[in-house]
């Protein structure tokens, strides 16, 4: 079973927990006839989910993967298993009675992982918020508490379910006690135990006395494994029975081991046997599930970014207390005259909020169905607009009436996603010259993102719930996937109400978010960078990118042929055919049949992810072929097969969405399609890039790419003289670092030295450990540690700066970029020594440094985009900006204007943010994105 080290930190026992003291008298157990009691072995469950769930962070940068998984499982127990009583048992810090029996008990336990330690305190808070009682007692383990609750439940006539992965608890199984493996959703009873180990529950402690437990350092008897132990107990019944009949046991060596290990076996049984009489004061009333109050969990769910849990809890509360839509005035505008009157009224106000109802979430594909407008709180109007199969005011007429309002210099327009609104209305005219949305504006989504960059939900519904606790509907209904779906699925009255509520909520959110921008010091960043960027991105998305569909089709045939050939090679290496896309079947081939070394476990067995396969590729050729096949399959499905369906029928282009509010560092992300993720260095990636080309005859693509921008930002921020000098001399920075670290002349640096230096430059500054560097480079950990030590010795200014960032983050609770982008981060340790920075940073610390460096680089390219966009609009250069891919910008331009645009782009990118090191921009051009030549 999976075991867990005892946490070394003191644990909170506030709120819903039950403090237990030595010598306390157990409380009176209620009549449990017909009742079910669940007891969670919390340490066991916490360690399971910590290793099963990938890294997750809260909006404040705290590691929360174990908190999330543990909370999910507790909610599953409450909502699906529906116990009558629920307890969570923990190990108390310090030694137990077993350490008195055997001082080496659990002596080989590894330290609790650094990313898990701070999560115990949050789990305490979560259990208190959910009102679930916590039980622990110094000197005893959680298993002993499970044993005690199980005994009391049996005696009171109830059924007890022990939620644990620890096999010690199998000794507690009876007609009324079972063990639940929540990961596999399997309930273990006595017959299942007999099938697995061939023994009864009362023989479990004897079984473990023979077999031992390496995790808990219970010795057992040498060379007695589970199979032999089961057979001996089936034959002789007990440990004493085995020793009474020692002469009847076959195998001289086995007999000798048993004889020599008698005292050890008896001691091992005492260590394995659970105490069913822990002197624990238990408040059974507090554990009665129907009485548990989860109200306090809602703000904690929001704080941790667990929005699915929060929404579920809100829904449950809404069922109990029906919302009353009182005090609102939502009306439908039925005529052109009424619309004109409404516009005149709104033009006299300082601001108004708008929400457009459309047929599609992709703005270039969307048709406008209606528009909600709100100028006063709790008042809003919905304007139905005529379209295919729709009744309402004619769209072209409405656009003419709305134009003064949309372009007023005195009325601020408030919207949740201004970029979407801008593109939709711009595309409302047949010739693409629809209604412009200009003048003073406020974007709620972007403002929310700047206030709390680590928050994952910036939707209008999420904002309404977070700030007003409104039981708001899902406003995504107002951007339907299917043409005219709102008309088909929503009655006119309901559509009017939801659209008006969206506009009303938007108007009410505006002062709240504006105040928080001021409070967090991000107003300037919002006004000077993120708000102007909306127009840049809107123009990029509106223009779209030309895709050579015919070339993609040809590439699709080539990919299919390559995949078919790889299939044959994979089957030959495996010795049989199997479903390559099935992790379960692949596990069987790799680990059961080929006997390759297995890595970490997942919920479905042994992991077969890319990291595992890359490691296995060093010992067998099959994993490398699997990786090649997966890459081809992914690229074919994601791009070759999908892109043609994304080409707009009218424009002949794909119109990707560039998102400002997804990456917490400030970087832009892309979707529908995500062209940022196309591989650059692989041949298959280049083949797909070759299908991306200029959209006009006689035009070229132009690419401008920052060279080593994050390292230049680091040199500027740290002020490290050696790093700055290398950039000022325009040296190959990786070769220069290799030269310094290996103490060789620059011309003596080998390609292997440069590779190692590059890994350090891009990894160690973000907290990569010697273990991680050793894995990446395929070298010994000691060698990697020495390399890191030497790096920081040579570049002392870098280390000083990294420690300063972390010290300030711990003190203030947040970090900022060059332009004042802010991210709240908890969990940075208070006093980090230099050795800690050189060994391993925890997740919040890595997040802090990454945010400052990568976020500053993101600020830089965004400023460059704004500056270049203004030059393009002013006629200062020909062409269009099409793509932003991290440190690269891509344009299309008439060939005669290529040099002119290249000059403008390189100049603006190089000078838009003055740094203490020169900014270098590499420009190239070509007929497609794969075949580009340097300018």
């Amino acid at each position: 079973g999976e075991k867990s080290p005892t946490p070394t930190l003191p644990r909170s026992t506030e709120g819903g927990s039950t403090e237990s003291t030595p010598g306390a008298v157990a409380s009176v157990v209620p009549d449990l006839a017909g009742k079910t009691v669940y007891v969670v072995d919390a340490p066991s469950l916490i360690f399971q989910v910590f290793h099963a769930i990938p890294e997750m962070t809260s909006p404040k940068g705290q590691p929360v993967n174990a908190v999330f998984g543990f909370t999910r499982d507790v909610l599953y127990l409450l909502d699906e298993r529906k116990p009558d009583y629920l307890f969570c048992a923990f190990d108390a810090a310090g030694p137990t009675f077993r350490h008195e029996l055997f001082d080496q008990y659990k002596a080989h336990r590894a330290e609790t992982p650094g990313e898990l330690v701070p999560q115990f305190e949050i789990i305490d808070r979560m259990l208190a918020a959910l009102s679930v009682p916590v039980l622990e007692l110094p000197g005893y383990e959680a298993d002993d508490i499970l044993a005690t609750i199980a005994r009391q439940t049996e005696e009171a006539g109830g059924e007890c379910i022990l939620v644990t992965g620890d096999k010690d608890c199998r000794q507690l199984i009876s007609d009324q006690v079972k063990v639940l493996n929540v990961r596999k959703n399997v309930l273990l009873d006595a017959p299942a135990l007999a099938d697995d180990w061939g023994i009864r529950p009362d023989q479990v402690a004897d079984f473990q006395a023979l077999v031992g437990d390496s995790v808990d350092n219970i010795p057992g008897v040498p060379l007695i494994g589970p199979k032999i132990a089961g057979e001996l107990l089936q034959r002789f019944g007990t440990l004493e029975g085995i020793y009474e009949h020692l002469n009847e046991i076959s195998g001289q060596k086995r007999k000798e081991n048993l004889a020599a290990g008698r005292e050890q076996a008896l001691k091992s049984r005492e260590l394995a046997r659970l105490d069913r009489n822990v002197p624990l004061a238990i408040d059974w009333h507090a554990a009665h599930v129907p009485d548990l109050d989860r109200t306090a969990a809602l703000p904690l769910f929001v704080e941790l970014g667990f929005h699915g849990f929060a929404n579920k809890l809100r829904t449950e509360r809404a069922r109990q207390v029906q919302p009353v839509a009182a005090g609102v005035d939502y009306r439908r505008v039925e005529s052109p005259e009424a619309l004109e009157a409404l516009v005149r009224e709104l033009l006299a106000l300082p601001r108004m909020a708008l929400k457009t109802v459309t047929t599609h979430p992709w703005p270039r594909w969307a048709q406008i169905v209606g528009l909600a407008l709100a100028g006063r709180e709790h008042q809003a109007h919905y304007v139905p607009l005529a379209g295919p199969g729709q009744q309402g005011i004619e769209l072209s007429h409405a656009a003419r009436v709305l134009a003064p309002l949309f372009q007023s210099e005195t009325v601020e327009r408030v919207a949740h996603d201004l970029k979407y609104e801008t593109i939709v209305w711009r595309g409302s005219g047949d010739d693409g010259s629809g209604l412009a949305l200009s003048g003073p504006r406020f974007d709620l989504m972007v403002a929310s993102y700047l206030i709390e960059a680590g928050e994952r939900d910036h939707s209008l519904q999420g904002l309404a719930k977070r700030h007003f606790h409104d039981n708001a509907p899902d406003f995504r209904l107002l951007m339907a996937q299917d043409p005219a779906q709102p008309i088909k699925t929503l009655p006119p009255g309901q559509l009017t109400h939801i659209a008006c509520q969206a506009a009303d909520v938007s108007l009410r959110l505006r002062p709240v978010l504006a105040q928080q921008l001021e409070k967090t010091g991000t107003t300037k960043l919002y006004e000077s960078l993120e708000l102007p960027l909306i127009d840049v991105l809107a123009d990029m998305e509106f223009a779209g990118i030309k895709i050579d569909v015919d070339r993609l089709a040809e590439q699709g045939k080539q990919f299919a042929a390559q995949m078919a050939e790889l299939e044959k090679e994979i089957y030959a290496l495996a010795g049989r055919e199997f479903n390559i896309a099935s992790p379960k079947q692949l596990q069987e081939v790799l680990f059961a049949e080929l006997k390759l070394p297995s890595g970490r476990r997942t919920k479905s067995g042994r992991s077969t992810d890319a990291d595992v396969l890359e490691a296995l590729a060093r010992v067998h050729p099959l994993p490398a072929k699997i990786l090649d096949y997966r890459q081809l399959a992914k690229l074919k499905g994601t791009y070759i097969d999908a892109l043609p369906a994304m080409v707009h029928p009218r424009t002949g282009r794909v119109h990707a969405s560039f998102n400002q509010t997804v990456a917490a560092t400030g970087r832009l992300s892309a979707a529908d399609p995500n062209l940022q993720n196309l591989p650059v260095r692989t041949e298959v990636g280049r083949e797909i890039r070759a299908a991306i080309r200029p959209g006009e005859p006689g035009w070229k693509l132009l690419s401008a790419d920052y060279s080593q921008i994050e390292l230049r930002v680091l040199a500027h921020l740290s002020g490290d003289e050696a790093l700055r000098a290398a950039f000022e001399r325009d040296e190959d920075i990786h070769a220069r670092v290799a030269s310094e670290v290996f103490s060789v002349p620059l011309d003596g640096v080998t390609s292997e030295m440069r590779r190692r230096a590059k890994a350090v430059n891009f990894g160690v500054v973000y907290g990569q450990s010697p273990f991680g560097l050793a894995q990446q480079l395929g070298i010994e950990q000691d060698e990697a540690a020495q390399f890191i030590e030497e790096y920081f010795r040579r570049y002392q200014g870098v280390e000083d700066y990294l420690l300063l960032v972390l010290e300030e983050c711990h003190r203030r609770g947040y970090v900022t970029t060059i332009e004042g982008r802010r991210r709240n981060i908890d969990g940075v340790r208070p006093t980090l020594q230099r050795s800690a920075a050189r060994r391993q940073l925890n997740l919040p610390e890595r997040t802090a440094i990454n945010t400052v460096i990568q976020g500053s680089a993101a600020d830089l390219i965004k400023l460059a985009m704004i500056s270049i966009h203004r030059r393009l609009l002013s006629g200062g250069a020909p062409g269009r900006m099409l793509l932003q891919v991290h440190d690269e910008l891509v344009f299309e331009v008439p060939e005669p204007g290529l040099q002119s645009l290249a000059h403008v782009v390189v100049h603006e990118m190089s000078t838009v943010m003055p740094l203490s090191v020169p900014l270098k921009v590499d420009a190239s051009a070509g007929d497609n994105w794969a075949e580009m030549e340097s300018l």
Side-chain angles (χ1 to χ4, degrees), residues 18 28 51 77 97 100 135 143 176 188 216 224 237 265 268 461 484 508 521 586 614 661 664 676 682 704 709 711 714:
T18 298
V28 176
H51 291 294
L77 295 175
F97 69 89
E100 296 175 12
L135 302 175
D143 292 350
Q176 293 167 260
L188 190 77
D216 281 348
I224 302 295
S268 294
Q461 182 186 24
R508 290 192 288 130
L586 182 58
E614 283 171 7
T661 61
Q676 290 184 336
T682 64
I709 187 60
L711 293 177
L714 175 63

Side-chain angles (χ1 to χ4, degrees), residues 323-326 328-331 353-355 357 371-374 376-382 416 444 460-461 463-465 468-475 477-478 493-509:
V324 180
V328 296
D329 181 10
Y330 296 161
R331 300 184 182 184
L354 68 149
K355 179 63 182 177
V357 181
L371 172 68
L373 299 166
R376 295 183 176 87
E377 292 190 2
H378 306 297
Q379 295 181 14
H381 292 76
Y382 177 65
H416 173 258
L444 303 166
L460 183 57
Q461 182 186 24
L463 292 177
K465 290 173 178 177
F468 300 146
H469 304 295
D470 280 4
N471 184 35
D474 187 348
F475 292 124
L477 289 168
L478 305 176
Q494 188 179 0
L495 175 60
T496 296
H497 185 86
I498 294 176
C500 286
Q501 188 179 10
D504 180 21
V505 164
S506 297
L507 189 69
R508 290 192 288 130
L509 280 167

Side-chain angles (χ1 to χ4, degrees), residues 845-874:
E845 290 156 0
R846 296 198 304 272
T847 301
I849 291 170
N850 184 56
T851 298
V852 173
I853 298 173
Q854 197 177 92
S856 293
D859 291 347
L860 170 58
I861 198 164
K862 285 179 175 180
L863 286 171
M865 292 170 72
I866 294 167
S867 184
I868 294 166
H869 184 252
R870 286 174 181 154
R871 292 288 298 271
L872 291 171
L873 290 180
S874 68

Side-chain angles (χ1 to χ4, degrees), residues 206 444 507 510 655 892:
D206 290 0
L444 303 166
L507 189 69
R510 194 270 182 209
H655 298 268
E892 61 180 3

